[in-house]
């Protein structure tokens, strides 16, 4: 099971760090994606990190502001979000593919992921 945490209410320009923790299994060898869903919109890919952290991807809308990282020893993946904008307001989810070592063909495709956390709300006020 994945659990996302760290969301909250922040003013524009502020920062938050989201965490994605796993319980019941090890995140080792799993690629992890962060997604978000705003009201009335489809879930969209925000960022992706490979199992060893050697490869990262970001949506154009967050490049230069968000940083994904992982600490496999702590069984946790992080999303550092800086310079937050009101458009970043959404529920943020972390997700993993069904199989260890599976690399999504399209990292931002929600159908490539099997395990999903419950989501954490991020609200950015203007």
């Amino acid at each position: 099971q994945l659990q996302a945490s760290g969301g909250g209410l922040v003013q524009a320009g502020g920062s938050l760090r989201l965490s994605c923790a796993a319980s019941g299994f090890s995140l080792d060898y799993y690629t992890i994606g962060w997604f978000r869903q705003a009201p009335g919109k489809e879930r969209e890919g925000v960022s992706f990190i490979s199992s060893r952290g050697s490869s990262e991807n970001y949506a154009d809308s967050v490049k230069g502001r968000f940083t994904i990282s992982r600490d496999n020893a702590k069984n946790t993946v992080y999303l550092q979000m800086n310079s937050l904008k009101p458009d970043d307001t959404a529920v943020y989810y972390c997700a993993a593919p069904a199989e260890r070592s599976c690399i999504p063909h399209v990292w931002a495709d929600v159908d490539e992921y099997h395990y999903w956390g419950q989501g954490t709300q991020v609200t950015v006020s203007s």
Side-chain angles (χ1 to χ4, degrees):
Q1 182 178 359
L2 296 175
Q3 182 159 346
S5 63
L9 173 64
V10 64
Q11 289 187 332
S15 298
L16 285 172
R17 188 176 79 157
L18 305 184
S19 297
C20 174
S23 60
F25 71 101
S26 172
L27 284 181
D28 281 8
Y29 302 108
Y30 279 96
T31 59
I32 298 294
W34 280 100
F35 292 77
R36 66 185 181 187
Q37 188 166 18
K41 294 187 177 181
E42 292 187 354
R43 194 168 296 189
E44 63 174 355
V46 175
S47 185
F48 159 92
I49 190 166
S50 61
S51 60
R52 284 292 176 250
S54 58
S55 179
E56 303 169 10
N57 289 93
Y58 297 92
D60 288 344
S61 58
V62 307
K63 279 181 182 177
R65 299 187 298 121
F66 291 11
T67 303
I68 193 170
S69 63
R70 65 190 302 155
D71 186 340
N72 285 347
K74 294 183 178 180
N75 216 26
T76 303
V77 174
Y78 303 99
L79 185 68
Q80 178 67 43
M81 306 187 298
N82 299 329
S83 303
L84 283 162
K85 305 175 181 179
D87 284 348
D88 295 319
T89 295
V91 178
Y92 283 71
Y93 302 87
C94 57
E99 302 293 334
R100 296 174 68 187
S101 301
C102 175
I103 300 174
H105 292 95
V106 180
W107 72 266
D109 185 349
V110 297
D111 293 332
E112 298 266 12
Y113 297 83
H114 179 74
Y115 299 105
W116 290 85
Q118 86 288 0
T120 184
Q121 176 71 48
V122 172
T123 303
V124 184
S125 63
S126 57

